[in-house]
Amino acid sequence: MAQALLEVEGLTKRFGGVVALEDVTLRVHQGETVGLIGPNGAGKTTLFNCVTGLLRADRGAIRFGRRNPESLAGLAAHHIVQRGIARTFQNIRLFGSMSVLENVVLGTYQRTHTGLWGAALATREARQEQQWAAERAMELLELVRLQDRAEALGASLPFGLQRRLEIARALASDPVLLLLDEPAAGLNPVEKQALLALIQRIKAQGLTMVLIEHDMHVVMPISDRVVVLDYGKTIAEGSAEAIQRDARVIEAYLGVPQRGADAAR
Amino acid sequence: MNSFELLLQQLANGLTLGAIYALIALGYTMVYGVVQLINFAHGEIFIAGAYAALTVILMLSGLALPWWAVLGLCTAGAVLGCGALGWGIERLAYRPIRRAPRLNAFITAIGMSFFLQNALMLIFGATDRQFPTLIPLVRWQLGGVTLTLIQLVIWAASGALMIGLQGLVMSTTLGKAMRATSQDLVACALLGIPVNRVIAITFMIGSMLAAVGGLLFGLYYNTINFHDGYLVGLKAFTAAVLGGIGNMPGAMVGGILLGLLEGLGAGYLSAQWKNVFAFAILVVLLLFKPRGLFGERVAERA
Ligand SMILES: Nc1ncnc2c1ncn2[C@@H]1O[C@H](COP(=O)(O)OP(=O)(O)OP(=O)(O)O)[C@@H](O)[C@H]1O
Ligand SMILES: [Mg+2]
């Protein structure tokens, strides 16, 4: 099998007595879209938090990279972004009192070189880079169909558009791997379809993705492979069809009546 | 002097004081914006700026340089010295406890303030120090109102700094990063923004503004004492709260407003009661507007 782009091995994370992740192994290959599903509290978000450097795992390894995979252990969050991993959040974390455009421009930060002091002194290079960043941000706003709202404040957007803005902001760092944490949660069916189309467009550009999602109508059509977590453990892994037939999954997850998470938002 | 001229005179004096308060208040509010911490040591940074400027002036006194050269060099000395001081305080005292409970940070800030007060007293002495006039004593008589060159310098310098700061914060990448950090530090880090550096730079810029405030204070009053750090710092903090802590235009308006109120209080009530006057205004305002004049921001952090 080809070398994986992201390799999570034996990852364990505890919060006091709660074992959020237990010996989790996950491989994501270049160009692949992996659906990550599992009931509430299964550890999905915790896995993203460990990969992106927000949390330190208690045990296990995380390696990332196309040619020479590099361990991400101990790297600060902003250094992990530089390696090419971007993410969105389950509970949207936009900069609400900044404009839509500014939100995306900030996402380009790690692709610029002048640094904070250069920016403060408004050197020629810094100004050119700002120009570039604004153009790049507008391209991404077009991709997520928000170009007409560029000057609006982040917080003023309706919920569904905020989710799109968060995706644009994550893409602005030009990632190799995009981690989407329940991007469809709280969207109505029409918005969900539009989001699905957006993710398809991103996928068509060749980006590798891991998608946490409860709604099977979203997960199934775009995932090349689905991984199921339950109580911090990987309980199944396979094609979307196989997963839907897997007895353990049905018991742990699909058998459970639709949870209130979506309705609650 | 008729009563209208007296009013104008007090307003001019108050505006001068207010400009200095505003420069210092900005530091409180900027730091609060990014780390939700009241940097109680900020008043000491302000007076350290005055001492640093004085030190440079004394060092240059034998050289017979023109006054504007001395002014430029002592400004540079104060700004660089306080920038380094602010950076050091953040790095050594506040960063290690950033994730600790609020109370720890609060106590650390108070401790830092005491530490610096005592350090300044030991280094520069407990008695008043004479601060050279530097700027020529030019005065204009406009009707019954007297304006001095030093007043104009203070207005111009603080006005220019505030406009420059506003430009920096609103339109440069650094400013965007500062605003974003104040809204969501974690989301910022996950965009690749080095938030620790953003916070350190915010401390430095706030301290540099306070340094200019310290220098202007020395030039205006011609005498400085380490105690001034505490009292003026407290007033500037009051100004920041008045404008709504965390809100930069609020700090500017709050500073000016407090200066004007103090000027009026000193002119019409009693100069001895002007401090009480300022704080009474604050208490009354906070009763009706608990977040200050422009403080619409509530902690939005998850
Ligand atoms: N920072 C934290 N501190 C303490 N416990 C946590 C923390 N983060 C997560 N947990 C716990 O770890 C477990 C896994 O949580 P996680 O958020 O990863 O689940 P999830 O699969 O994303 O669930 P959901 O579908 O509800 O988003 C839960 O029991 C949760 O309460
Ligand atoms: Mg989750």
Side-chain angles (χ1 to χ4, degrees), chain B residues 16 27 56 103 138 147 276:
Chain B
T16 311
V56 174
L103 192 59
V138 183
L147 293 184
V276 180

Side-chain angles (χ1 to χ4, degrees), chain A residues 45 90 181-182:
Chain A
T45 299
Q90 186 170 353
D181 196 345
E182 303 202 26

